[in-house]
């Protein structure tokens, strides 16, 4: 029944948005209340559950999205995004520009959270699409696919790192083997599938998109833009800070070193929210003060970027509300009961449990952590199983079928100006391909490892 109720709730949401054209945020909240009632959450607790889900989601990404949007606007308005875009176009050429996007996204996505990497890269992707006069969807899908893979498969992302610890898998080995699996998975989901969808549904790439979140993009002559080096350094400064934090933390743990002021400072500046704030302050100097742009003009531009984010943040928060309702409504516990005492291949079991939890609950991180707790007792019965591959199978399953209860679904939809049908046909399928391809490569490696 919990799974049936969840499916009906998703269907109702689609009807409200697509058939009756109801505001997306309002539809999400209405469906959240109805799901909570039918899943048996006490009426007096429903409002608190929805508030917790909405606040918890926005608490995680609100600061990152807000400052990240201002950072992206500063780099774009100064011409930094234009300089990076033109350089990538000249280096790779129009025919291989998707490979440029995938390469940049992979490098940025290894360290940064999905949301942080997305808001940093999207202005550059948009500039490239304008320069080449091609759809932002054509470039945005490879970026989204790459970020999904790196976020789900590779440490130091929280899901992969935490699950590796629970299973007892070596994090460094997970990173190496995960990269081996991630590369062909990205090619299939991020390069080959968008090409296929371009042939099956060409209108997706031909449709003119209104992207209010990115604001008005002004034309800047190349000679008036910042240098490529300083533009890339400013855009990737959060990556550098978080990479330093991850590396130092790993060294501290491996060497068994005690805590001190140095490690505390590194952890502080490596935190996603702190890193994005420091990067914003750097951009104020490199993209503004250094170029004699008045502070007031920069802040006016930053303010307009925040105004464009209002409804998007509410929509993402609404997705978080549905996710919390499903968690508190016991959908995850119901799925756990289904697999109690199962004797199937541990790799397939871990993938299947994570996939079902992801579809039901929406959060890939919640799905991976919940799967680890459910699968761990079963692993004791199969001592010869490769724990690194179990970790990666869990990460692959946590990508499955992104839809309306996943914040990333709404981020991709809104930033790329797609409707619900287009987002299901593109990002939902890409996430499913990522999950299935990841499992296939895990099973292939299991033959040799």
């Amino acid at each position: 029944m919990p799974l049936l109720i969840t499916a009906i709730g998703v269907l109702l949401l689609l009807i409200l948005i697509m058939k009756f054209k109801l505001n997306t945020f309002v539809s999400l909240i209405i469906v959240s209340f109805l799901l909570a009632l039918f899943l048996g959450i006490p009426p007096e607790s429903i409002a608190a559950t929805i508030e917790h889900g909405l606040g918890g989601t926005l608490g995680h990404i609100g600061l990152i999205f807000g400052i990240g949007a201002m950072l992206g606007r500063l780099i774009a308005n100064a011409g930094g995004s234009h300089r990076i875009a033109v350089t990538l176009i000249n280096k790779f050429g129009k025919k291989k520009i998707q490979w440029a996007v995938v390469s940049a996204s992979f490098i940025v996505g290894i360290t940064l959270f999905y949301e942080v990497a997305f808001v940093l890269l999207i202005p550059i992707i948009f500039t490239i699409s304008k320069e080449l006069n091609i759809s932002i969807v054509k470039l945005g899908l490879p970026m989204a696919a790459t970020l999904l893979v790196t976020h789900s498969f590779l440490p130091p992302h929280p899901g992969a790192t935490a699950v590796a610890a629970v299973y007892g898998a070596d994090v460094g080995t997970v990173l190496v083997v995960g990269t081996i699996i991630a590369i062909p998975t990205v090619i299939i989901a991020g390069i080959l599938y968008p090409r296929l969808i371009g042939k099956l549904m060409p209108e997706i790439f031909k449709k003119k998109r209104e992207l209010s979140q990115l604001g008005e993009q002004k034309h800047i002559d190349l000679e008036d833009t910042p240098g490529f080096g300083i533009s890339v350094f400013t855009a990737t400064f959060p990556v550098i800070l978080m990479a330093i934090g991850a590396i130092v933390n790993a060294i501290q743990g491996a060497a068994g070193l005690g805590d001190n002021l140095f490690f505390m400072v590194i952890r502080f500046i490596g935190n996603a929210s702190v890193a994005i704030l420091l990067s914003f302050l750097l951009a104020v100097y490199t993209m503004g003060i250094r170029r004699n742009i008045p502070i007031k003009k920069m802040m006016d531009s930053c303010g307009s970027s925040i105004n464009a984010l209002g409804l998007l943040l509410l929509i993402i928060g609404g997705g978080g509300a549905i996710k919390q309702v499903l968690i508190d409504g016991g959908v995850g516990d119901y799925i756990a009961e289904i697999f109690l005492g199962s004797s199937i291949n541990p790799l397939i079991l871990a993938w299947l449990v994570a996939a079902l939890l992801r579809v039901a609950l929406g959060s890939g991180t919640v799905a991976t952590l919940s799967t680890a707790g459910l699968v761990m007792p079963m692993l004791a019965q199969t001592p010869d199983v490769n724990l690194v591959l179990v970790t990666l199978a869990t990460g692959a399953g946590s990508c499955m079928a992104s839809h309306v209860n996943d914040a990333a679904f709404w981020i991709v939809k809104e930033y790329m100006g797609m409707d619900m049908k287009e987002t299901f046909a593109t990002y939902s399928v890409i996430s499913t391909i990522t999950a299935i391809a990841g499992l296939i490569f895990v099973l292939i490696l299991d033959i040799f490892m």
Side-chain angles (χ1 to χ4, degrees):
M1 285 300 292
L3 294 181
L4 178 61
I5 291 171
T6 301
I8 293 173
V10 172
L11 180 61
L12 175 61
L13 180 65
L14 297 178
I15 292 172
L16 290 176
I17 295 173
M18 299 174 71
K19 175 71 174 175
F20 294 103
K21 309 298 181 185
L22 199 62
N23 177 276
T24 302
F25 173 68
V26 174
S27 301
L28 285 164
I29 298 303
I30 290 173
V31 171
S32 296
F33 272 99
L34 293 174
L35 278 172
L37 282 171
F38 284 101
L39 287 172
I41 297 178
E44 65 273 15
S45 303
I46 291 177
T49 294
I50 291 174
E51 290 168 4
H52 177 59
L54 192 149
T57 300
L58 294 183
H60 169 61
I61 69 170
L63 189 151
I64 290 170
F65 255 63
I67 298 181
M70 290 191 286
L71 171 62
R73 181 63 66 88
L74 285 177
I75 297 173
N77 283 0
S81 298
H82 181 64
R83 170 71 73 169
I84 295 171
V86 169
T87 304
L88 289 175
I89 291 168
N90 291 338
K91 183 72 174 176
F92 284 83
K94 183 174 181 178
K95 291 185 177 180
K96 296 182 180 179
I97 194 64
Q98 286 181 313
W99 292 101
V101 170
V102 164
S103 301
S105 301
F106 201 95
I107 293 169
V108 172
I110 286 177
T111 304
L112 295 190
F113 292 143
Y114 185 101
E115 298 87 353
V116 185
F118 195 101
V119 296
L120 284 180
L121 289 170
I122 194 68
I124 298 172
I125 302 301
F126 183 61
T127 304
I128 294 174
S129 72
K130 282 190 66 180
E131 290 291 326
L132 296 179
N133 194 28
I134 57 178
S135 171
I136 190 174
V137 177
K138 189 173 184 178
L139 301 180
L141 293 180
M143 176 191 71
T146 306
L147 296 182
L148 175 63
V149 170
T150 54
H151 181 82
S152 304
F153 289 18
L154 305 180
H157 288 286
T161 305
V163 170
V166 173
Y167 288 147
D170 180 72
V171 174
T173 307
V174 171
L175 178 58
V176 173
V177 178
T179 302
I180 294 171
I181 291 174
I183 291 171
T185 301
V186 165
I187 292 172
I188 294 170
I191 297 291
L192 299 182
Y193 179 70
R195 289 180 181 175
L196 176 63
I197 200 69
K199 294 178 180 178
L200 298 177
M201 302 175 67
E203 66 277 5
I204 288 182
F205 293 154
K206 295 177 181 178
K207 186 176 176 183
K208 185 175 175 60
R209 309 285 173 180
E210 296 296 332
L211 304 174
S212 59
Q213 287 82 8
L214 296 178
E216 182 184 355
Q217 304 293 306
K218 300 176 182 177
H219 175 75
I220 303 175
D221 293 330
L222 191 62
E223 58 270 19
D224 296 329
T225 64
F228 178 72
I230 192 64
S231 298
V232 170
F233 178 72
T234 304
T236 59
F237 194 57
V239 182
I240 296 170
L241 293 180
M242 292 182 69
I244 291 172
I247 292 169
V248 171
N249 281 340
I251 294 173
Q252 181 187 12
L257 301 175
D259 222 359
N260 57 39
L261 180 61
F262 170 76
F263 290 122
M264 291 172 63
V265 170
I266 293 298
R267 272 200 305 273
F268 176 73
I269 66 172
N271 176 276
S273 297
V274 176
I276 203 80
L277 176 60
L278 293 176
S279 301
F280 169 75
L281 296 176
L282 174 68
V284 169
Y285 172 72
T286 60
M287 299 289 117
I289 295 174
R290 187 180 176 187
R291 296 170 53 76
N292 298 318
I293 299 175
I295 291 284
K296 185 178 185 308
K297 183 177 180 180
M298 286 190 286
M299 293 305 103
D300 288 343
S301 175
C302 290
S304 64
S305 71
I306 291 296
N307 293 337
L309 281 178
L311 183 58
L312 172 60
L313 287 176
L314 285 177
I315 290 171
I316 294 170
I322 284 187
K323 177 197 73 176
Q324 194 63 45
V325 165
L326 296 174
I327 293 172
D328 291 358
V331 175
D333 297 334
Y334 177 78
I335 291 173
E337 291 177 11
I338 295 175
F339 292 98
L340 195 63
S342 176
S343 59
I344 66 174
N345 182 313
L347 297 175
I348 297 176
L349 176 65
W351 180 88
L352 192 57
V353 173
L356 282 174
L357 286 170
R358 158 66 177 223
V359 172
L361 304 179
S363 169
T365 302
V366 172
T368 52
L369 295 176
S370 302
T371 299
L374 297 172
V375 173
M376 192 61 193
M378 304 173 197
L379 295 180
Q381 304 170 17
T382 52
D384 60 335
V385 68
N386 188 309
L387 297 176
V388 169
L389 294 182
V390 176
T391 301
L392 293 170
T394 304
S398 73
C399 298
M400 175 63 76
S402 171
H403 63 99
V404 297
N405 58 2
D406 178 21
F409 177 91
W410 298 106
I411 293 170
V412 171
K413 175 187 178 297
E414 296 298 320
Y415 265 105
M416 295 187 198
M418 294 190 289
D419 59 31
M420 295 287 285
K421 179 183 175 182
E422 291 171 334
T423 313
F424 277 115
T426 54
Y427 188 65
S428 295
V429 177
I430 282 174
S431 62
T432 302
I433 291 172
T434 299
I436 295 172
L439 174 64
I440 291 172
F441 291 123
V442 163
L443 294 175
I444 290 173
L445 286 182
D446 189 44
I447 299 173
F448 303 100
M449 293 180 65

